[in-house]
Amino acid sequence: MDSFGIPQPHRKRRRKSPVSTKPYVFRPLLEDIALAEEGSTTDVYITCVELWDVNLYIGTSAAEILHYVALPPDPNDTVTDSSYIFASRLQPTFNRSSAGSSSPGVQQILVLPKVTKACVLCNGTLTFYSLPELSPAFHNTTVTGCSWIGGENMNTSDEQDEDGQTVMICIKSRIRLVRIGVQPQKIRDIEYPSGLAVARRDNFACVADAQAYALLDVENQQKISLFPISSLDENAAGGQVEDISTVRELSRPSSGIGEPRGHGRSTSLGTFVTGIGRRSPQSRSQDRSARDTPESGFRAASPLRPSDRPRSGSATGDSNGRPSSPKPLPPAPTIPQQAVLASPSKFSSRLTPHICSPTPNEFLLTTGTSPEEPGVGMFVNLDGDVVRGTIQFDRYPISILVDVGEQSATAPAAAAQPGGYVLASILQPRDGGDREVIEVQDISSESHSEYLDIPFPFEEDNTGSTKLTTGKAKLRNILSYTLAPFHEVGDRLNKVRLDMPRNPTVGEADVKSTPPTVDTEWEAKRNQEEQAFGHRLGMQSSRILLWSGSSIWWLVRNPLVLRLDGRIDMITNPMSKVNEDREELIRILTSIRDYEANTETEFLSLEYIRQKSSLILFADALSREPGESGSGELKVEDLVNSGLDPRILLSLVPLLREEVVEGSNGIWVHAGLTATIDQYANLPFTTSEDELRRKPSRHIEWMNLVKRYLMAWRQRKGFGSIADEVEVFQTTDAALLHLLLHQDSQHSFKSGVPSASRSELYALVDNGVDCFERAITLLENYRRLYVLSRLYQNRKMAGKVLATWQRIIEGEQDAGNELRDGENEVRKYLAKIRDISLIQQYGTWLARRNPGLGVQVFTDDSSRVKFTPQEVVELLKDKAPKAVKVYLEHLVFGKKNSRYANNLITYYLDSVLQVLGSSEEARSVLAQSYESYRALQPPKPTYRQFIIDNAVPETWWQDRLRLLELLGGSHGADFSYDLGHILRRIEPFEQDLVPESIILDGRQGRHQQALRLLTHGLGDYHTAVNYCLMGGASIFHPISGSLTPSEASIKEDQAVLFGYLLTEFLRIEDVSNRLERTSELLERFGSWYDAGDVLDMIPESWSVELLSGFLIGAFRRLVHDKNEAMVVKALSGAENLQVAAAWVEKCSRTGPQVEESQLI
């Protein structure tokens, strides 16, 4: 206040205070207001407050109204709030003769925005003013004997009531409904004397007098008596329906100014004060006597629903025993003026009624026993029934309101707040006396009460000591919303670029450890946008005012983020690892898990709290000792659902910190998280990689947690809501791969049993990773070449796959030793690809290492690429000469392609002759095989079978077997080869290659020479016999079954060959063998011999017994031939007789024929 007595503007600066966890916080509106004029010694305090638009009206106990006007702050100033400048001081009209020193002053200020009028109740007198300057309205009309003004329809918006605004005025004997417009108009009177509080929803109003509550139907003028204000009032009863109508004049509202009052300045509304009758005391006693006890009023149900109640003033009765004619209501109780106009600061034993309406169908009423005892809040619906549960107050409230966060037409968007709270001003015992606090309870749950200390100062009593001020704090929902800035919200929710912690052991040359270069201009612009965004998020709406003494505060809902963040800070500052703190964090996460955000601020707040809680719990999991556990455990889904950038969590783990990819713009997080990240980034629990290798068992639990977390994050790929998606998934994939490699490296590869992480590692690389280049580096560092090849397979990089397998097969270290039968894997992989150059490159490489497998690359029928034999032969000759023979064998023996048989014979000859020419041992082996075979006693296998069964494990030996097969005609009679060329090549080795010489002699027709070698060179008599039977065609084709016709046609040739064979058998040096072989030959194949010729050849010294078998067979054949000849002769004679007889018969039938000769 300046020297002229004018209060100066009140400009408020933002105060920094510790974050509160209470549901509401105080924000000063005006403090230390000069309520009294300068020089006044009267103790003046605020009695009521109303705020409309920029106009602040303050009623005082000195019966004055102070008018302040708000000055908005500079739009660019985010620190200074709106300021208020004093505009005027008004002294409302009231009956000063009836007002004493204990008069309450200004009791109510009711602002009616639509009609720009204000109703002021001061010391029992109601006056009317025009807004905003509070100039007298309606010709200074006043209403005396008024105890309450209000009762606006809480269900009707301003647009629905076009004729004005309807209010309810409580006077001594009744309640009057009046429509305030251009002129005040009476609607109707309701018989309800000395009302002290009213709340209205459409046609239903909940009212209270000094003793009890009642529910009124203002349209049909019916009343349901509810319960008493004081539960000790035995005269109050509830549940009765009464007709309170007197004169049915509801349809014609009266208007105009009533008869003037006795003094000239103001006039009264005649229609407001006339016609108010009094009921007799007897009728009032009858009303009260109907209630037995307070409990009976609570138990009684309402007899009629609103839809069942009579809607007219007819005199008929009803089933509930209501009298058929309207019962005259008892006269209003005689209430002393001092009781009606008692000062709020003077408490008496009588309780003040409180009525609130949290929903369109409910009213909240209070009841109790005394101001020093607990109070109870009860919810009543429009039928008068008690619903929900009750609300307990520590003491009976001084004032009460319900904040349900509703959004009206005039409310800003930020006013929509979920849930609702009941706020009550109560006295709470403190040291030195009682102190007023605000008790806050959740209207929708049975949570414990929160208490807010009102920030008014201590007062000094007459002795100079301090005392607590009590009895003056009031709460009120005002008309206008305010937007209170919470800069702390923006300080937590706006995004800032994070300065990532880095491993001190990583050199500066490492690209991943170098922070990204960020465009400073872009970053500065982003920071400005984030600050503006954070400022907008921090705007919290409120329409609750609290006043006490000479100060006024906004009571603003504490933003969710500040409340929960405050709880977290209380737990974790300093960081503690006790289970109780961990469980509290888990409870916080659980409490918001199903919380559904309604605003952007709430959504970001919940995200921030989830992220901070998850970050702290993750750090706690890292710091936990092995085996340590508690009832509260961090869940992977909580970590993932928090939306926290996984790069932040990974930055806390030195093993994985270097995998973080920041990107060109860096990592942006909620600003409130930066301090927490810095707090945990370099704490002792963060373990180096060296220590992880030394003590792997100590870190299994948190490693598995991180692994599950990263795997869960990988499932979010493709979600469009993920910021920096590329960098995030590059980081998660690299970190997961690094972690799996580390875990798998702790497993012993020598055991042969794969570790549990092995399959996870395979699944990761098989499904592909975003950090491809980094994955290659990690796999190379851990020497996991086989896993690297699987990574290449996922990218369809066949060349890289084969090159990696080649490295492993050629001996480069593969720590996992996972490539089993690598050469065969290469062969199968080459059959699946289509790249001809790769097939040729690695097929010939494989053919050089393993000709058998290498040739299969080009001969596999399932291969996607086909090569012609000529192409393969040329390729193998150039790149893998040793594999040519194998490929030709496939063609000749596998595919029966005789076209390449000559080439194969050449390769076999080269192989065999090269060995024989250079190795005396090989020649000795052959000679030994001949001697060993000849030494065998019959019966014995053929020489071919003998050398197969007793094969030498040498390549040249196998080549010789195949050579014999080819030379012996295994591919049929049509198969031919260059006989002369072969003879010239083996000529130096005729003594060593006896079977080959036999075959070639047979091919040349030198059968006698061939049989001589078989008989005397090899001693293979069985093959010699077969040679004769086959006509010298082959010695490697066994005879089974009878001869075919084609074979029978060469029997003469066989006889000649058998003759040669008999000659050679007779020359066998061993006499016993000679006799045995010759006699066996003659006995078995005697039909090919002439007995005379044989007898001429057989020495005379041989006994007949040796030839008995042959001779018996010969004689049998001779007898057979003789008998056969006789039969043939006899048959021929018979046939001749038949022919002669037929001739004679024919001649007889024909008869003689005479032919005359013609003489010339």
Side-chain angles (χ1 to χ4, degrees):
M1 185 177 293
D2 61 10
S3 58
F4 297 97
I6 301 176
Q8 295 301 303
H10 293 261
R11 188 170 294 274
K12 302 175 291 300
R13 302 291 294 180
R14 178 156 57 108
R15 299 177 179 178
K16 292 185 177 181
S17 58
V19 176
S20 172
T21 62
K22 304 295 184 180
Y24 287 85
V25 294
F26 295 97
R27 288 296 177 91
L29 179 63
L30 287 177
E31 293 179 306
D32 300 328
I33 306 171
L35 299 177
E37 296 183 358
E38 187 176 4
S40 175
T41 60
T42 307
D43 182 15
V44 181
Y45 53 87
I46 300 174
T47 56
C48 58
V49 177
E50 186 57 270
L51 177 65
W52 172 64
D53 198 10
V54 297
N55 301 281
L56 176 64
Y57 304 107
I58 303 173
T60 70
S61 59
E64 294 180 335
I65 297 178
L66 305 183
H67 180 197
Y68 283 84
V69 178
L71 298 178
D74 187 344
N76 297 324
D77 185 1
T78 61
V79 177
T80 305
D81 298 330
S82 299
S83 60
Y84 286 84
I85 185 172
F86 180 75
S88 64
R89 185 189 298 270
L90 173 69
Q91 295 181 344
T93 302
F94 64 92
N95 188 353
R96 299 184 181 274
S97 61
S98 60
S101 59
S102 61
S103 297
V106 179
Q107 297 168 269
Q108 288 180 266
I109 301 175
L110 178 63
V111 174
L112 306 176
K114 181 181 177 183
V115 296
T116 63
K117 295 293 186 291
C119 305
V120 177
L121 179 60
C122 180
N123 290 330
T125 300
L126 179 64
T127 54
F128 303 90
Y129 299 92
S130 297
L131 300 177
E133 68 281 355
L134 296 183
S135 58
F138 306 141
H139 308 289
N140 291 328
T141 299
T142 63
V143 178
T144 60
C146 181
S147 59
W148 181 269
I149 175 68
E152 310 98 301
N153 185 4
M154 300 174 69
N155 286 351
T156 305
S157 63
D158 295 340
E159 290 76 7
Q160 291 176 320
D161 195 355
E162 299 179 355
D163 298 332
Q165 289 186 254
T166 302
V167 298
M168 300 177 71
I169 302 173
C170 297
I171 50 182
K172 292 183 179 180
S173 59
R174 65 193 64 194
I175 296 175
R176 176 159 294 169
L177 266 70
V178 178
R179 180 178 292 111
I180 304 297
V182 178
Q183 291 293 331
Q185 294 181 331
K186 171 186 171 183
I187 299 177
R188 67 178 62 86
D189 285 339
I190 300 173
E191 294 296 329
Y192 192 88
S194 302
L196 298 180
V198 178
R200 182 163 66 95
R201 294 282 188 179
D202 292 332
N203 293 333
F204 297 94
C206 187
V207 297
D209 55 18
Q211 291 183 326
Y213 298 100
L215 189 63
L216 302 181
D217 184 344
V218 297
E219 179 71 24
N220 299 291
Q221 299 220 26
Q222 292 180 336
K223 179 182 76 171
I224 300 177
S225 299
L226 301 176
F227 45 83
I229 300 170
S230 173
S231 58
L232 299 178
D233 188 356
E234 298 182 355
N235 295 323
Q240 298 182 0
V241 179
E242 305 175 33
D243 191 338
I244 54 175
S245 61
T246 54
V247 179
R248 292 294 174 180
E249 52 182 1
L250 305 180
S251 61
R252 188 184 73 254
S254 59
S255 62
I257 306 296
E259 54 191 38
R261 296 190 54 183
H263 46 85
R265 185 172 184 272
S266 63
T267 60
S268 63
L269 293 172
T271 57
F272 289 5
V273 297
T274 58
I276 302 177
R278 287 189 176 275
R279 293 179 293 179
S280 63
Q282 291 80 2
S283 64
R284 178 174 179 86
S285 63
Q286 291 173 1
D287 283 347
R288 299 302 183 189
S289 63
R291 302 168 182 163
D292 299 331
T293 62
E295 289 77 4
S296 64
F298 297 153
R299 290 193 300 268
S302 57
L304 290 176
R305 299 287 179 183
S307 59
D308 299 328
R309 295 168 190 157
R311 297 298 182 185
S312 64
S314 62
T316 59
D318 60 14
S319 60
N320 291 314
R322 185 180 300 168
S324 59
S325 60
K327 176 182 178 181
L329 297 175
T334 304
I335 303 177
Q337 183 72 7
Q338 291 80 4
V340 177
L341 307 178
S343 171
S345 62
K346 304 295 183 181
F347 262 80
S348 63
S349 60
R350 185 169 296 278
L351 302 178
T352 304
H354 300 296
I355 304 175
C356 298
S357 181
T359 68
N361 301 312
E362 293 177 332
F363 296 101
L364 173 61
L365 315 176
T366 60
T367 182
T369 56
S370 69
E372 292 78 18
E373 297 295 330
V376 178
M378 305 180 68
F379 294 92
V380 178
N381 62 15
L382 299 183
D383 295 332
D385 298 329
V386 177
V387 294
R388 300 202 196 191
T390 59
I391 295 179
Q392 294 289 126
F393 301 103
D394 287 359
R395 284 197 178 183
Y396 191 83
I398 300 170
S399 63
I400 187 174
L401 63 81
V402 176
D403 178 21
V404 293
E406 72 275 6
Q407 186 172 354
S408 67
T410 60
Q417 302 172 0
Y421 292 94
V422 177
L423 294 86
S425 171
I426 65 171
L427 291 174
Q428 192 176 69
R430 297 286 179 90
D431 295 337
D434 292 339
R435 176 163 180 165
E436 282 183 326
V437 298
I438 304 300
E439 183 177 2
V440 182
Q441 300 186 56
D442 193 331
I443 197 173
S444 58
S445 64
E446 297 181 359
S447 58
H448 64 280
S449 299
E450 300 272 0
Y451 300 95
L452 310 176
D453 288 332
I454 299 174
F456 46 65
F458 288 95
E459 297 180 350
E460 294 187 0
D461 57 15
N462 297 332
T463 63
S465 60
T466 60
K467 64 178 181 179
L468 293 171
T469 59
T470 58
K472 301 177 183 178
K474 298 292 171 56
L475 294 164
R476 175 174 172 78
N477 274 323
I478 59 172
L479 289 174
S480 299
Y481 284 85
T482 186
L483 289 177
F486 281 83
H487 303 276
E488 300 88 347
V489 174
D491 294 342
R492 286 163 172 77
L493 298 186
N494 65 333
K495 297 290 186 71
V496 296
R497 189 171 70 86
L498 181 64
D499 186 12
M500 292 293 293
R502 305 189 179 277
N503 284 339
T505 58
V506 179
E508 292 297 329
D510 192 340
V511 177
K512 294 185 70 63
S513 66
T514 304
T517 302
V518 182
D519 186 352
T520 55
E521 182 178 352
W522 176 87
E523 184 177 0
K525 181 180 179 181
R526 171 77 183 268
N527 286 330
Q528 291 179 355
E529 293 174 351
E530 290 291 343
Q531 289 175 1
F533 180 66
H535 177 72
R536 179 170 63 84
L537 293 177
M539 303 304 292
Q540 191 79 359
S541 66
S542 178
R543 55 190 290 256
I544 303 174
L545 283 182
L546 168 72
W547 62 87
S548 180
S550 60
S551 299
I552 307 173
W553 298 271
W554 288 107
L555 200 57
V556 188
R557 282 200 189 186
N558 195 9
L560 179 66
V561 63
L562 298 184
R563 293 171 54 195
L564 297 179
D565 197 32
R567 288 176 59 187
I568 295 174
D569 289 342
M570 291 172 61
I571 297 170
T572 60
N573 190 17
M575 174 66 179
S576 174
K577 294 193 289 186
V578 297
N579 288 337
E580 290 76 9
D581 293 342
R582 188 184 310 142
E583 292 171 6
E584 180 62 23
L585 281 174
I586 295 294
R587 279 195 291 269
I588 291 175
L589 274 177
T590 304
S591 66
I592 63 175
R593 185 172 296 159
D594 299 327
Y595 195 105
E596 196 166 325
N598 295 316
T599 63
E600 184 179 23
T601 302
E602 283 195 356
F603 177 81
L604 294 176
S605 299
L606 295 173
E607 179 185 75
Y608 168 79
I609 295 300
R610 291 189 185 102
Q611 292 181 2
K612 185 170 183 178
S613 301
S614 300
L615 178 63
I616 296 171
L617 288 169
F618 181 78
D620 173 73
L622 294 181
S623 65
R624 201 175 303 171
E625 293 295 330
E628 179 185 349
S629 61
S631 58
E633 295 295 335
L634 176 62
K635 297 181 180 179
V636 171
E637 53 267 28
D638 288 333
L639 277 177
V640 176
N641 294 335
S642 69
L644 183 63
D645 193 321
R647 296 176 291 178
I648 297 173
L649 295 181
L650 296 176
S651 68
L652 303 181
V653 186
L655 174 67
L656 308 177
R657 185 177 295 168
E658 61 183 295
E659 307 305 335
V660 174
V661 180
E662 295 189 45
S664 59
N665 296 330
I667 300 176
W668 290 74
V669 298
H670 292 297
L673 296 178
T674 55
T676 307
I677 295 171
D678 294 339
Q679 178 183 358
Y680 298 121
N682 296 305
L683 288 182
F685 63 74
T686 55
T687 309
S688 66
E689 187 167 358
D690 292 338
E691 184 177 347
L692 290 175
R693 294 185 184 277
R694 291 195 302 267
K695 302 177 181 178
S697 60
R698 291 175 55 87
H699 311 284
I700 292 177
E701 292 183 6
W702 71 258
M703 280 188 176
N704 289 333
L705 172 66
V706 175
K707 180 173 66 178
R708 295 194 304 271
Y709 169 67
L710 293 174
M711 287 180 174
W713 247 100
R714 276 176 52 83
Q715 297 178 3
R716 298 166 67 93
K717 283 187 178 183
F719 288 16
S721 59
I722 299 176
D724 300 331
E725 181 178 8
V726 175
E727 291 79 8
V728 166
F729 287 112
Q730 285 180 353
T731 299
T732 55
D733 286 356
L736 181 57
L737 178 61
H738 195 164
L739 185 60
L740 290 174
L741 286 172
H742 176 81
Q743 287 187 320
D744 199 40
S745 66
Q746 306 304 312
H747 180 74
S748 176
F749 297 113
K750 297 181 180 180
S751 64
V753 180
S755 64
S757 58
R758 182 77 56 84
S759 59
E760 296 169 340
L761 180 61
Y762 288 166
L764 175 64
V765 296
D766 290 346
N767 291 326
V769 293
D770 292 352
C771 58
F772 183 67
E773 296 299 330
R774 178 58 181 168
I776 294 174
T777 303
L778 286 170
L779 293 170
E780 291 281 6
N781 292 342
Y782 278 86
R783 311 303 303 165
R784 301 301 295 274
L785 297 183
Y786 177 72
V787 183
L788 177 61
S789 71
R790 297 182 71 133
L791 178 66
Y792 287 138
Q793 287 186 62
N794 176 261
R795 291 292 182 101
K796 308 299 182 184
M797 302 174 68
K800 293 288 187 180
V801 174
L802 293 168
T804 306
W805 284 351
Q806 182 180 9
R807 292 167 58 189
I808 299 173
I809 295 171
E810 291 181 348
E812 190 169 342
Q813 181 187 3
D814 179 28
N817 194 24
E818 297 147 282
L819 184 61
R820 310 287 184 180
D821 194 9
E823 293 179 350
N824 194 43
E825 289 296 325
V826 172
R827 179 194 65 79
K828 291 189 290 186
Y829 189 75
L830 289 174
K832 298 177 183 177
I833 64 176
R834 298 180 182 273
D835 192 322
I836 297 177
S837 61
L838 288 178
I839 296 174
Q840 292 177 345
Q841 177 184 353
Y842 289 96
T844 55
W845 168 80
L846 184 60
R848 289 193 299 271
R849 288 185 57 86
N850 188 333
L853 279 177
V855 167
Q856 292 181 32
V857 173
F858 303 99
T859 60
D860 192 347
D861 293 334
S862 64
S863 177
R864 295 188 176 185
V865 178
K866 307 295 183 182
F867 295 90
T868 64
Q870 187 62 33
E871 290 175 339
V872 177
V873 170
E874 295 298 328
L875 180 64
L876 293 177
K877 284 182 179 180
D878 184 36
K879 301 293 184 180
K882 293 182 179 180
V884 175
K885 182 188 66 174
V886 179
Y887 181 69
L888 292 176
E889 288 176 343
H890 165 75
L891 293 177
V892 174
F893 295 106
K895 297 295 185 180
K896 305 300 180 182
N897 188 345
S898 60
R899 177 181 176 184
Y900 295 93
N902 276 316
N903 294 339
L904 185 57
I905 290 173
T906 301
Y907 272 95
Y908 287 152
L909 282 175
D910 292 340
S911 174
V912 175
L913 297 181
Q914 182 181 2
V915 173
L916 294 178
S918 60
S919 175
E920 187 67 29
E921 181 182 359
R923 301 175 70 176
S924 175
V925 169
L926 283 178
Q928 183 66 35
S929 68
Y930 299 149
E931 293 179 3
S932 299
Y933 183 75
R934 285 195 296 266
L936 294 177
Q937 294 298 321
K940 60 182 179 180
T942 64
Y943 178 74
R944 178 179 180 272
Q945 187 63 42
F946 174 77
I947 60 176
I948 291 175
D949 295 339
N950 299 273
V952 177
E954 298 289 343
T955 303
W956 68 271
W957 187 275
Q958 300 297 326
D959 291 345
R960 181 172 178 248
L961 292 178
R962 289 296 182 92
L963 178 62
L964 289 173
E965 187 174 349
L966 288 176
L967 293 177
S970 61
H971 282 68
D974 295 335
F975 172 64
S976 63
Y977 43 82
D978 190 349
L979 186 61
H981 174 71
I982 298 173
L983 285 172
R984 286 191 299 272
R985 296 199 62 186
I986 70 171
E987 184 177 359
F989 306 96
E990 284 186 357
Q991 301 300 322
D992 301 310
L993 301 176
V994 176
E996 289 83 352
S997 298
I998 295 171
I999 296 172
L1000 295 177
D1001 287 339
R1003 284 281 180 171
Q1004 297 177 84
R1006 299 169 59 184
H1007 301 301
Q1008 190 171 3
Q1009 177 66 20
L1011 290 172
R1012 183 179 296 115
L1013 291 176
L1014 281 171
T1015 305
H1016 306 292
L1018 288 180
D1020 189 354
Y1021 310 120
H1022 182 75
T1023 302
V1025 172
N1026 287 339
Y1027 184 88
C1028 297
L1029 290 173
M1030 297 301 295
S1034 173
I1035 63 170
F1036 286 96
H1037 278 197
I1039 298 177
S1040 59
S1042 60
L1043 294 174
T1044 63
S1046 60
E1047 292 172 334
S1049 65
I1050 61 171
K1051 189 169 183 179
E1052 294 180 0
D1053 295 334
Q1054 293 175 346
V1056 174
L1057 293 177
F1058 274 112
Y1060 294 153
L1061 183 59
L1062 177 60
T1063 302
E1064 297 303 326
F1065 275 11
L1066 292 173
R1067 294 176 182 175
I1068 296 175
E1069 295 180 359
D1070 189 332
V1071 176
S1072 62
N1073 194 18
R1074 182 195 316 158
L1075 295 175
E1076 184 178 354
R1077 300 279 76 78
T1078 303
S1079 60
E1080 182 184 1
L1081 176 65
L1082 292 174
E1083 184 177 356
R1084 290 180 61 192
F1085 303 101
S1087 60
W1088 275 268
Y1089 293 98
D1090 182 79
D1093 294 338
V1094 172
L1095 292 175
D1096 291 339
M1097 296 176 63
I1098 296 298
E1100 295 181 359
S1101 60
W1102 285 24
S1103 65
V1104 176
E1105 184 180 0
L1106 292 174
L1107 301 177
S1108 60
F1110 168 72
L1111 293 175
I1112 293 173
F1115 291 150
R1116 287 177 177 174
R1117 285 192 297 273
L1118 289 174
V1119 173
H1120 177 271
D1121 291 342
K1122 179 182 178 182
N1123 294 332
E1124 185 178 354
M1126 292 176 64
V1127 171
V1128 171
K1129 182 178 179 181
L1131 292 174
S1132 299
E1135 184 180 7
N1136 185 43
L1137 289 175
Q1138 289 179 352
V1139 171
W1143 165 256
V1144 171
E1145 183 180 358
K1146 186 174 182 181
C1147 290
S1148 298
R1149 285 196 307 267
T1150 305
Q1153 183 176 358
V1154 178
E1155 293 183 0
E1156 295 180 358
S1157 62
Q1158 296 179 359
L1159 299 177
I1160 300 176

